[in-house]
């Protein structure tokens, strides 16, 4: 039997984090690796000896990219980014957008263990806006349960995140590049991304429903 592919997740940033303490084996990245290995075995961990490295700052094939965006209340919400000066924004811990938004607009971050919890922080009035990926927030804004919190501030085009897959062996890198390029063209990468966007939205819905019951 072939040895499991060793996969390292680099950096702190994980896109589309739905639950606090989400296991690496139940994540967007695990879904991507499962597609790349075509059902073969793999091990998610860390270390320089990994066959593949996924995350910010890697080289190779881009599997996820987005700009920073913000979601705020539909009525009486923050009108633009500059209005965040002196305000608090909700954000998931480890987000690469935190420092840029604090420095540029003079706002203060309130961190949450997951994206879903950061979204609920907005509904609870714990912040003026929630800052996250445009890819995610555009989807959230279109849901009926967010109709009171669906004002989107324009994305910050120069505050971006790009996640890539870097393989140790050139032959593996070529195979990864070709696979991701094919999935971008036929929609399979978009389907995987949408699945995890839906998971974040569902977890936020569950949290909101729990709050409503109390």
């Amino acid at each position: 039997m072939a040895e499991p592919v060793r996969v390292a997740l680099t950096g702190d940033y994980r896109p589309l984090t739905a639950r606090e303490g989400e296991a690496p084996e139940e994540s967007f990245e695990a879904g991507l690796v499962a597609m790349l290995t075509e059902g073969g075995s793999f091990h998610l961990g860390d270390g320089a000896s990994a066959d593949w490295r996924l995350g910010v700052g890697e080289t190779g094939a881009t599997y996820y990219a987005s700009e920073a965006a913000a979601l705020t209340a539909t009525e009486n919400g923050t009108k633009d980014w500059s209005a965040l000066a002196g305000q608090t924004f909700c954000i998931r811990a480890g987000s690469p957008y935190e420092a840029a938004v604090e420095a540029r607009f003079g706002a203060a971050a309130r961190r949450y263990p997951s994206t879903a919890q950061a979204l609920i922080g907005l509904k609870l009035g714990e912040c003026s806006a929630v800052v996250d990926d445009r890819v995610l927030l555009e989807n959230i804004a279109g849901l009926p349960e967010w109709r009171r919190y669906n004002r989107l501030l324009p994305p910050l085009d120069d505050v971006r995140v790009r996640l890539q897959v870097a393989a140790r062996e050139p032959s593996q890198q070529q195979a990864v590049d070709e696979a991701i390029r094919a999935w971008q063209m036929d929609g399979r990468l978009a389907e995987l991304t949408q699945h995890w966007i839906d998971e974040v939205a569902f977890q936020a819905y569950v949290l909101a429903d729990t709050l409503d019951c109390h």
Side-chain angles (χ1 to χ4, degrees), residues 29-102:
E29 292 84 359
L32 178 72
V33 173
M35 289 171 61
L36 287 170
T37 58
E38 299 181 331
S41 59
F42 60 90
H43 173 71
L44 290 174
D46 52 33
S49 62
D51 300 303
W52 299 342
R53 297 172 64 85
L54 281 72
V56 177
E58 297 300 333
T59 58
T62 298
Y63 64 91
Y64 182 87
S66 185
E67 310 88 354
L71 190 69
T72 185
T74 309
E75 297 181 9
N76 304 318
T78 303
K79 303 300 182 184
D80 52 43
W81 286 97
S82 62
L84 281 175
Q87 302 295 312
T88 299
F89 63 95
C90 296
I91 196 165
R92 186 179 65 81
S95 171
Y97 306 135
E98 179 183 321
V101 173
E102 284 190 325

Side-chain angles (χ1 to χ4, degrees), residues 98-183:
E98 179 183 321
V101 173
E102 284 190 325
R104 184 176 301 184
F105 303 109
R110 178 166 180 155
R111 303 180 190 91
Y112 295 81
S114 72
T115 299
Q117 287 166 287
L119 286 163
I120 295 304
L122 175 63
K123 281 195 170 185
L124 290 174
E126 294 173 347
C127 57
S128 298
V130 58
V131 174
D132 212 295
D133 298 335
R134 172 194 56 78
V135 171
L136 169 66
L137 296 183
E138 284 183 346
N139 277 263
I140 295 293
L143 297 174
E145 59 266 29
W146 288 87
R147 61 186 177 275
R148 294 173 57 196
Y149 302 90
N150 65 3
R151 179 194 295 274
L152 273 171
L153 302 187
L156 302 175
D157 292 337
D158 61 336
V159 182
R160 299 177 57 87
V161 65
R162 184 170 68 170
L163 306 182
Q164 296 172 282
V165 186
R168 186 171 57 179
E169 300 295 334
S171 60
Q172 288 184 329
Q173 187 67 61
Q174 182 178 354
V176 168
D177 292 349
E178 290 174 355
I180 290 183
R181 186 161 51 245
W183 298 341

Side-chain angles (χ1 to χ4, degrees), residues 18-19 116 119-120 136 140 143 145-146 194-210:
R19 292 177 294 273
L119 286 163
I120 295 304
L136 169 66
I140 295 293
L143 297 174
E145 59 266 29
W146 288 87
Q194 188 63 50
H195 170 80
W196 287 100
I197 287 172
D198 293 344
E199 182 66 16
V200 173
F202 175 72
Q203 292 300 323
Y205 174 82
V206 170
L207 287 170
D209 189 56
T210 302

